[in-house]
Amino acid sequence: MPEGLEVEIYRRAAVALVGRRISRLTVDDRIAEADVADALPGCSFQAARRIGKLLLLDTDGPTVGLHFGMTGRIVVDDDAPIEELVYGSHRDDPAWDRFVVDLVDGGRARVNDPRRWASVTLDPDTSALGPDLLALTADDVRAAVAGRRAPVKAVLLDQRRIAGLGNLCVDEVLFDAGIDPRRPGGELDDEDVVALHRSMATCLPAMLARGGSHCGSVSPDVRAELPPCPRDGANLRRAVVGGRSTVWCPSHQR
Ligand SMILES: [Zn+2]
C-alpha cells in the first residue's frame, strides 16, 4: 500500500492542479533530491500522469515524480482522496507533510507520509517500468510471465514486469483466475494467461471503483480471519510466497 489503484485515485485528485502555478515549495530533504526546491517555483502544472505506482506531474519545467512508499498520500486543496490508508495512520499530522506545494492562486497540495518512505524526484527515468496494470493486453501478461521460474506471485509483484500491482491486487487476480500463486510464472499455459488477463481487466477496475486495492474478495478482513473460500467453501491458506504474505484457496487455485 498504496498500490497502483491508490495512486490512480491520487492522480485523479492531482488533475485539479493542472493549469495552476507554483509559488513556493517546502520539502523534507530526506525524501527529495536537492534541486527539487529550487527547480519548481514559477512552474505551472500541465498534466497528471501515472505509470504503475509512480505519479508524474508534468510542469512547463521539470516533471515531478512522486512515489508514495508504504503510507504516503496526496492532499490537494485540503481534499484528501483517501482519508486513511488501510495500513496507515488515521491521523493527518502536519509534521508528516513531506512535500508542500503552495500555489499562486492560494491553493496547496501536499504529500503527507508518517513513515517518510515517500520520495520526490525530477524527470524520473521510467524506462525500467513494465506496462501499467490498468492498460494491460493479454500479450503483456504473456510476456511478463514467459520463461520465469519464480512463483507467479513474485513475477506479478516485479514492477519491471507489470507496473502497479501490489500484494493485495496480485492475490486478488490470482484468486479470481484460479491460479496457485506458487506456480512458476513460465509454467502458465495460454489458457492460464488468458484467464489471468481477464481477471486483471475486470477485477482491477472494479476494485478501483469501490475504493482501492483493499476492496476485493481477498480483503484485509479475509486475510486476517481466513473464512471459508467464498467460491467453494474450502479452507483458505496463508503463507509467505515471493517474500510477501499470500492468501489463496488450495481448492480452486491450481
Ligand atoms: Zn476456492
Side-chain angles (χ1 to χ4, degrees):
M1 288 288 284
E3 304 189 14
L5 298 184
E6 282 68 38
V7 181
E8 174 60 17
I9 293 169
Y10 297 169
R11 187 196 68 77
R12 292 174 181 180
V15 168
L17 295 171
V18 172
R20 301 166 76 183
R21 187 172 300 280
I22 298 167
S23 66
R24 199 167 71 98
L25 273 175
T26 312
V27 190
D28 184 330
D29 58 15
R30 291 167 295 191
I31 72 151
E33 294 174 334
D35 50 351
V36 168
D38 297 330
L40 291 171
C43 295
S44 290
F45 289 107
Q46 301 202 315
R49 297 181 290 129
R50 182 188 56 77
I51 304 174
K53 303 175 187 177
L54 177 67
L55 180 62
L56 295 163
L57 302 177
D58 296 320
T59 75
D60 51 5
T63 292
V64 184
L66 296 174
H67 255 298
F68 294 92
M70 289 293 286
T71 54
R73 61 186 191 140
I74 195 167
V75 182
V76 180
D77 296 328
D78 291 325
D79 174 21
I82 295 179
E83 288 293 339
E84 50 191 61
L85 290 172
V86 174
Y87 300 121
S89 169
H90 295 190
R91 291 195 296 136
D92 180 14
D93 188 328
W96 299 333
D97 285 342
R98 310 296 179 186
F99 179 69
V100 181
V101 179
D102 286 305
L103 301 161
V104 170
D105 63 16
R108 169 176 277 193
R110 55 196 173 90
V111 174
N112 185 269
D113 180 15
R115 298 176 79 167
R116 212 197 307 135
W117 290 343
S119 69
V120 183
T121 52
L122 296 180
D123 297 320
D125 178 7
T126 61
S127 60
L129 291 173
D132 183 71
L133 80 167
L134 291 174
L136 295 171
T137 64
D139 282 345
D140 289 333
V141 177
R142 191 174 290 111
V145 299
R148 308 296 295 176
R149 288 156 65 177
V152 62
K153 165 92 186 212
V155 174
L156 297 178
L157 285 171
D158 183 344
Q159 302 299 299
R160 297 167 297 182
R161 300 279 151 191
I162 292 174
L165 291 173
N167 202 37
L168 295 177
C169 284
V170 170
D171 280 8
E172 185 72 17
V173 296
L174 292 174
F175 180 89
D176 190 73
I179 295 171
D180 187 321
R182 300 167 299 177
R183 280 177 68 190
E187 287 186 9
L188 269 57
D189 63 20
D190 199 59
E191 195 179 329
D192 296 324
V193 167
V194 168
L196 183 54
H197 173 252
R198 191 190 311 119
S199 293
M200 289 175 170
T202 54
C203 295
L204 299 174
M207 293 162 86
L208 177 61
R210 290 199 293 269
S213 58
H214 60 290
C215 297
S217 304
V218 194
S219 67
D221 286 346
V222 167
R223 305 178 76 84
E225 295 160 17
L226 295 185
C229 173
R231 190 175 292 192
D232 52 40
N235 291 326
L236 297 180
R237 272 197 67 184
R238 178 172 48 223
V240 174
V241 181
R244 302 292 301 275
S245 174
T246 300
V247 171
W248 77 98
C249 172
S251 171
H252 82 266
Q253 289 181 252
R254 300 300 187 93

